[in-house]
Amino acid sequence: MRAVIAGGGTAGHVFPAIALADVLRRDHGATVSFIGSAQGQEAALVPAAGYGFHPIEAAQLVREVSLRAATAPFIALRSVRASRPFVEGADVVVGMGGYVSASAVLAARRAHVPVVLHEANAVPGLANRLLSRGARSVGVAFEDATRRFASRVPIVVTGNPVRDLIREVPSKREALAAEAVVALGLEDGRATVVVFGGSQGALHLDRAVATAIAVPALRDRGDLQLVVLTGPAHLEEMAGASSSAPVRVRAFPFLERIDLACAVADVAVSRAGAGHIAELTVCGIPSILVPYPHATENHQEANARELVRAGAADLVLDRDLTGEVLARRILELVDDLVRRRSMSDRAAAWAKPDAAERLAELVMRAGTR
């Protein structure tokens, strides 16, 4: 079977697509290629994973009166035409969401190729909502998303695919945590809080962390250490933070071995992107989620609230985020072992570590009819 996967942008969008491709190739013998943007992270990550990559021009759908909004439909039409040769002859096209995938999905429709969609967030994106009417099925990561599609297309809660690197953390946690202590310059025996700023960083979150470290109640904790993944642009926000305080702080712009951070984390602080949530829950990590307030249709808050209802996470809204608030919430969770264990169990129960296999089944079903 030949499958084409379309989508990308940030690493949080690309890694699930690659995880799906790996299962399709390994378990089903499928031939998989990708369509994406030359400007997105897929342009580097997909070829590095060993898959063919076809770049197309793409323009985001914007709800404003501007030159960018006026030219977007023309770019979209060109992108549909550019996608056509790559989808013709395919058995199935998988749209992973976003404006990049829309062109490939529309080209697949014109070529009469079956389509499967995946929606990673609790609030479906505009492209997926519009395109779902012609899809064979839609896989969703959040239960909340099932009620937000207007069409009668079959909606299946598959979860959001995660990399094998992350899926292996629960079974290898002890060995990985020991490796993390050495690789990340940590001290064995301290409680560890990992702050995930995202591949692009989260400036307000990083600044709040830097301020929190100066709060005496946190600063003076010699039994505590923080690993802060700032993103390349925001490392300077952590410069000099707590260099001589009892609390230990290790800041990194990027961590290739993200499994080490997941294995050593007793508590995570993170934005509420779908990729982060999938990885944190698969690893059973209690989390304090701070949704990015400008995400489209506030979907990160919707993501976070589903985790809160499941008992797997705490929520701090960005407008309420200060260093003092963050320090207090971190310490409340770190010092409550019973609650941490409960949140860890509930996160693992909510997670779907077999999401790639579940989504692959939908793809195979559509492509072999």
Side-chain angles (χ1 to χ4, degrees), residues 302-321:
N303 293 351
R305 289 195 181 278
E306 181 164 325
L307 266 290
V308 171
R309 287 194 298 272
D314 281 345
L315 171 66
V316 177
L317 295 178
D318 193 83
R319 66 173 177 264
D320 300 326
L321 182 66

Side-chain angles (χ1 to χ4, degrees), residues 1 20-31 356-365:
M1 190 192 77
L20 169 64
D22 288 344
V23 170
L24 289 171
R25 183 170 63 180
R26 181 186 66 224
D27 296 351
H28 301 283
T31 300
E357 285 81 3
R358 293 180 183 219
L359 185 56
E361 287 296 330
L362 297 184
V363 174
M364 292 301 299
R365 201 176 304 153

Side-chain angles (χ1 to χ4, degrees), residues 220-286:
D220 296 338
R221 289 290 293 263
D223 62 340
L224 186 62
Q225 57 196 350
L226 278 72
V227 176
V228 187
L229 308 180
T230 65
H234 303 150
L235 184 62
E236 68 276 6
E237 296 296 328
M238 303 305 301
S242 189
S243 57
S244 60
V247 68
R248 173 172 292 201
V249 180
R250 301 285 290 142
F252 303 89
F254 177 75
L255 195 59
E256 188 75 35
R257 290 289 306 279
I258 196 68
D259 56 325
L260 298 182
C262 290
V264 80
D266 295 298
V267 170
V269 178
S270 176
R271 288 300 196 188
H276 276 314
I277 285 178
E279 295 185 345
L280 292 173
T281 55
V282 163
C283 296
I285 303 172

Side-chain angles (χ1 to χ4, degrees), residues 202-213 237-238 321-323 326:
L203 182 58
H204 187 206
L205 179 58
D206 289 338
R207 286 175 173 169
V209 172
T211 304
I213 293 165
E237 296 296 328
M238 303 305 301
L321 182 66
T322 65
L326 186 57

Side-chain angles (χ1 to χ4, degrees), residues 116-120 128 137-141 149 154-159 359 362:
V116 172
L117 301 179
H118 181 262
E119 177 53 59
N128 269 350
S137 58
V138 179
V140 298
F149 285 94
I155 310 294
V156 181
V157 181
T158 60
L359 185 56
L362 297 184

